[in-house]
């Protein structure tokens, strides 16, 4: 299991390939990459600034990954999240899981992203032609999280 919070860019393909290379018993690898969009909520986006709470953020991400490992049979979890200034088209986050079977890898990746979007201490500020604005949480993210809580009691 590897959790990184960093300013440096990363190659999602490299991290995806590492998941399989870490264990030859891996039968499935699932991954998600989130990118900075150039358009959001009706406005062009020139860039994004991501802030976090050092130490607390890594602990929160570790806890999310450990919850996934407790729910599904996973061979590895890789989670990388960038902070600082990012430009449209750049990757923000990579979540990858490896398992013997695809169902566990798919579910764990989705679970980690749903928890990360709603429970990890990150703050996003977008630069638009109208000025800078903070990105608010979406109701759809909370709804996605609720299905995991409903399936196994509240774990938030």
């Amino acid at each position: 299991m590897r959790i990184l919070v960093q300013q440096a860019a990363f190659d999602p393909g490299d991290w995806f390939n590492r998941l399989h290379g870490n264990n030859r018993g891996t039968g499935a690898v699932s991954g998600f990459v989130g990118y900075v969009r150039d358009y959001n909520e009706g406005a062009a986006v020139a860039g994004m600034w991501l802030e976090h709470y050092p130490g607390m953020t890594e602990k929160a991400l570790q806890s999310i990954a450990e919850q996934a490992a407790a729910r599904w049979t996973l061979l590895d979890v890789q989670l990388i999240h960038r902070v600082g200034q990012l430009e449209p088209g750049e990757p923000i986050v990579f979540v990858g899981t490896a398992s013997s079977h695809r169902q566990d890898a798919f579910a764990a990746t989705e679970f980690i992203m749903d928890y990360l979007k709603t429970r990890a201490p990150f703050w996003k500020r977008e630069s638009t032609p109208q000025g800078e604005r903070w990105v608010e949480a979406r109701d759809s993210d909370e709804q996605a999280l609720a299905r995991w809580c409903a399936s196994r009691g509240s774990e938030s």
Side-chain angles (χ1 to χ4, degrees):
M1 186 177 298
R2 186 157 187 193
I3 311 295
L4 295 173
V5 177
Q6 64 187 40
Q7 288 188 352
F10 62 88
D11 178 354
D14 180 50
W15 285 96
F16 193 84
N17 289 332
R18 289 181 194 199
L19 284 162
H20 182 261
N22 287 347
N23 186 327
R24 295 295 177 192
T26 299
V29 171
S30 174
F32 173 86
V33 181
Y35 292 92
V36 179
R37 293 184 303 248
D38 66 354
Y39 196 81
N40 190 30
E41 296 185 10
V45 174
M48 178 183 288
W49 178 261
L50 272 98
E51 295 184 20
H52 78 298
Y53 193 112
M56 186 172 133
T57 302
E58 291 84 353
K59 277 184 162 179
L61 297 178
Q62 183 74 33
S63 175
I64 293 166
E66 288 172 355
Q67 286 179 55
R71 289 177 80 137
W72 294 280
T73 304
L74 301 177
L75 301 171
D76 198 3
V77 176
Q78 305 280 332
L79 198 166
I80 305 161
H81 205 297
R82 292 191 53 205
V83 294
Q85 184 63 41
L86 290 96
E87 304 303 321
E90 291 187 314
I92 302 171
V93 61
F94 172 79
V95 174
T97 61
S99 181
S100 296
H101 303 285
R102 70 180 184 279
Q103 293 89 351
D104 285 351
F106 283 143
T109 299
E110 198 169 7
F111 172 91
I112 291 168
M113 271 311 303
D114 288 345
Y115 266 78
L116 188 152
K117 288 286 289 180
T118 56
R119 299 296 184 258
F122 289 103
W123 298 273
K124 298 176 184 179
R125 188 176 66 226
E126 292 177 331
S127 297
T128 71
Q130 295 78 29
E132 295 193 344
R133 65 182 182 195
W134 291 102
V135 177
E136 300 292 327
R138 299 175 193 260
D139 288 338
S140 60
D141 293 330
E142 287 294 335
Q143 291 167 4
L145 177 67
R147 70 191 166 118
W148 302 112
C149 296
S151 69
R152 197 179 263 189
S154 180
E155 296 178 19
S156 56

